[in-house]
Amino acid sequence: MLSKQKLIKLISNSLKISEDEISFDSKINHIEEWDSLGHITIMFAIDKATKGKASKIVKLNDSNGIEAIYKLLKKNNLAE
Amino acid sequence: MKNFIEIAFGSKKINIQNICNKKFGKQKSNLILSKTGPKFIKICNSNENSLTLAIKAFIKLKNKNKKINFKNLIFVTENNIRNYPGNSFLFASKCNLSEELNLFDINSGCTGFVDAIKLADKFKDNTLIVCSETYSKNISQFQRNVSTLFSDAAAVFFYDKNKFKVINEKSGYKKNTYDFITSKNKNLTMNGKKVFDFVRTVVKPQLSNHLKLNKSKSIKKIFIHQASKVIIDYFKILFKSKYIIPTNIVKRGNTVSATIPVLIFDNIKHFKNEIILCGFGVGLSYSLITLKIND
């Protein structure tokens, strides 16, 4: 199960930026590093962290920020 | 062992790392290449095209195996050199092949080789499968997501009915995704994010199902289309514990329908017993088979 903090850490690691540079409210267009390659890396990391279960969430790829990703993961019992 | 397959690449070598370093700086360049894969790609020069590459590969094959005998020819390409006829007719004439041949052209992307194997398996006689792609001719100026990825290459594969047999197959496409990899007026565009999403939500589950339905101790290897390094890494993480997943994306780049035969050529030691071939891409579509190889 991913917590809010673990998700922020996972995303900052994926984008190769400091955790201080993002917050729960951060959206794609707020972060320069969150381009299409960055987004793919995030999805990759989430699938890996959930052992592939997140790949069943069809709308996850269309999420436009951390909160939206977290809500979808929580709805599918993959976040606490 | 390689007497049924040959490959040929475009002769112009492009240093992707240098171009990216200049455009994006070294740090960002390393990040991009860690996702895309190749540091160098090979593309056609002005005298080369999908037909000349295919002929080059075929001559190499004929030189090492003079006994190949086929009654069908399937030419797979998205880069026919004429609107019509398809490349199969030009190839057959230029290679002085029998006028009794059945000629087929498939306009298919990264699933093309697997689609051709499915067809070849249904024919009564042996088939020569040719996959030849020159995406570089559809890229007029540098684009980060495509210029860093695609090499131009051809592969010829002799489908001997005594040697190969398709055990089972599965294919499909996703509606309204045709814009995500497309070329209009010779201008290639690709939405990498959407393609990756297709891989996550369609290809991966279909491949998992295919593996479940084909639980055989002899199936140990999956030859996956070399789309990009990030996608191969993704499959490796999900399936590596049970399967060998050969890769050559860093060395060769993405050669569209030729990637799987080029991968077979580079990993011939793994091409035995029963294997899975998994193509996916333009459409967006996927094509999967279990192939039995008799030594």
Side-chain angles (χ1 to χ4, degrees):
Chain A
M1 288 280 233
L2 282 166
S3 65
K4 283 182 187 178
Q5 203 48 48
K6 274 186 187 169
L7 181 63
I8 289 172
K9 191 174 181 182
L10 179 151
I11 290 173
S12 67
N13 282 343
S14 299
L15 300 177
K16 297 210 180 334
I17 56 176
S18 155
E19 278 181 63
D20 300 338
E21 293 177 61
I22 58 172
S23 68
F24 192 60
D25 303 329
S26 294
K27 290 193 165 49
I28 287 178
N29 51 10
H30 295 165
I31 303 164
E32 194 192 339
E33 288 81 359
W34 199 335
D35 55 10
S36 59
L37 265 182
H39 196 72
I40 288 170
T41 314
I42 291 168
M43 292 298 123
F44 180 106
I46 291 172
D47 282 355
K48 190 179 166 189
T50 60
K51 293 177 180 160
K53 289 175 187 161
S55 68
K56 290 173 185 158
I57 308 172
V58 176
K59 289 180 180 172
L60 193 65
N61 194 53
D62 296 327
S63 307
N64 65 351
I66 298 178
E67 189 175 0
I69 291 173
Y70 176 78
K71 279 181 178 173
L72 275 172
L73 290 172
K74 192 168 183 185
K75 196 178 166 186
N76 288 274
N77 299 318
L78 297 173
E80 58 193 30
Chain B
M1 178 61 186
K2 280 186 183 177
N3 61 357
F4 61 93
I5 189 166
E6 255 306 338
I7 60 172
F9 274 75
S11 54
K12 194 171 168 184
K13 193 173 179 181
I14 306 285
N15 188 328
I16 294 299
Q17 184 151 41
N18 270 357
I19 294 172
C20 286
N21 283 351
K22 280 177 195 164
K23 282 192 177 290
F24 309 111
K26 206 170 179 183
Q27 197 180 345
K28 178 82 177 170
S29 169
N30 286 342
L31 185 64
I32 291 168
L33 266 56
S34 72
K35 307 296 172 201
T36 51
K39 290 179 180 171
F40 293 90
I41 55 168
K42 284 186 170 179
I43 63 171
C44 286
N45 63 31
S46 57
N47 299 322
E48 294 171 319
N49 57 41
S50 59
L51 186 62
T52 63
L53 290 185
I55 293 170
K56 195 172 162 187
F58 182 66
I59 290 170
K60 284 161 87 175
L61 181 64
K62 281 289 280 183
N63 283 341
K64 69 181 183 187
N65 183 358
K66 292 183 170 49
K67 289 180 184 169
I68 57 169
N69 182 20
F70 50 92
K71 288 198 173 174
N72 310 297
L73 167 68
I74 302 175
F75 202 115
V76 183
T77 187
E78 290 182 310
N79 303 101
N80 276 301
I81 61 170
R82 296 185 183 189
N83 292 336
Y84 49 85
N87 270 7
S88 69
F89 293 88
L90 286 78
F91 180 85
S93 291
K94 301 268 183 195
C95 294
N96 195 26
L97 302 179
S98 162
E99 291 182 338
E100 305 292 314
L101 277 185
N102 296 307
L103 304 181
F104 302 90
D105 284 281
I106 299 183
N107 178 346
S108 198
C110 308
T111 60
F113 176 69
V114 186
D115 296 335
I117 293 257
K118 284 179 187 173
L119 273 179
D121 192 67
K122 291 173 176 65
F123 295 149
K124 189 179 149 204
D125 301 300
N126 297 336
T127 301
L128 184 75
I129 297 170
V130 182
C131 298
S132 186
E133 304 287 359
T134 55
Y135 264 29
S136 71
K137 292 186 184 288
N138 293 333
I139 304 170
S140 52
Q141 56 184 4
F142 184 88
Q143 297 173 60
R144 189 189 74 180
N145 62 343
V146 292
S147 306
T148 54
L149 208 52
F150 293 106
S151 280
D152 296 335
V156 291
F157 185 100
F158 173 51
Y159 192 89
D160 183 340
K161 294 281 285 186
N162 293 320
K163 189 176 174 68
F164 303 114
K165 176 76 192 151
V166 174
I167 307 291
N168 48 45
E169 57 182 73
K170 178 84 175 75
S171 59
Y173 80 105
K174 190 169 181 181
K175 282 179 192 169
N176 302 318
T177 58
Y178 45 80
D179 274 336
F180 298 151
I181 312 174
T182 190
S183 175
K184 294 178 195 168
N185 303 320
K186 294 210 163 190
N187 183 32
L188 173 67
T189 56
M190 181 175 79
N191 185 331
K193 201 172 137 185
K194 292 288 186 187
V195 174
F196 186 71
D197 192 40
F198 176 75
V199 169
R200 290 177 59 242
T201 58
V202 179
V203 182
K204 181 251 161 188
Q206 290 294 345
L207 179 58
S208 296
N209 283 344
H210 192 82
L211 293 169
K212 271 182 204 164
L213 292 170
N214 296 281
K215 267 192 179 171
S216 160
K217 283 184 182 173
S218 62
I219 299 179
K220 296 278 184 215
K221 294 123 192 168
I222 310 173
F223 285 74
I224 293 182
H225 167 58
Q226 302 291 292
S228 66
K229 189 171 181 299
V230 72
I231 286 179
I232 298 304
D233 287 348
Y234 180 74
F235 282 115
K236 278 194 162 184
I237 281 169
L238 295 175
F239 297 109
K240 202 181 175 180
S241 60
K242 290 182 182 171
Y243 299 94
I244 293 167
I245 300 179
T247 180
N248 63 357
I249 179 70
V250 173
K251 181 184 169 192
R252 301 289 199 179
N254 178 339
T255 55
V256 195
S257 67
T259 51
I260 295 178
V262 170
L263 185 66
I264 291 168
F265 184 88
D266 287 344
N267 293 275
I268 210 78
K269 65 178 180 184
H270 292 308
F271 193 67
K272 57 186 176 185
N273 304 326
E274 287 180 24
I275 58 156
I276 306 271
L277 302 183
C278 173
F280 55 87
V282 173
L284 299 176
S285 61
Y286 65 91
S287 203
L288 284 160
I289 57 169
T290 304
L291 185 69
K292 189 174 181 186
I293 301 142
N294 300 312
D295 286 327

